[in-house]
Amino acid sequence: MSTGDIVSILVNLAVGIYFAFIYPRTVEKRFKAMTQVPRGFVMLRQVIPKVGILIIVLTVLYALSLLMGWMG
């Protein structure tokens, strides 16, 4: 596994963790005081954590495939 692969995996994991765990809390705090939350953020609050988990899972699978020698 090259240095570029390791950096790519770490960046992808950081983005996935941010989307799955940190961003939903930030949005929740920001709009907690508001009575009417914009529609787009309601959708993002539901979709973004799932995308983050998908990024984490795919990155782990990619890292495992590199370690097992399945990919170049």
Side-chain angles (χ1 to χ4, degrees):
M1 194 179 322
S2 70
T3 305
D5 289 333
I6 294 170
V7 170
S8 174
I9 289 167
L10 291 176
V11 168
N12 283 342
L13 285 174
V15 168
I17 289 169
Y18 176 77
F19 281 164
F21 304 109
I22 298 169
Y23 181 76
R25 290 184 198 160
T26 305
V27 171
E28 189 73 30
K29 287 178 187 176
R30 183 174 295 155
F31 293 113
K32 196 169 196 170
M34 295 179 69
T35 56
Q36 184 68 22
V37 178
R39 255 196 239 159
F41 285 102
V42 172
M43 183 188 71
L44 283 177
R45 200 168 39 193
Q46 296 170 355
V47 173
I48 291 294
K50 294 174 186 171
V51 170
I53 291 171
L54 180 67
I55 290 172
I56 293 169
V57 168
L58 291 177
T59 302
V60 169
L61 289 175
Y62 175 69
L64 286 175
S65 69
L66 285 176
L67 289 173
M68 298 288 199
W70 297 335
M71 295 180 69

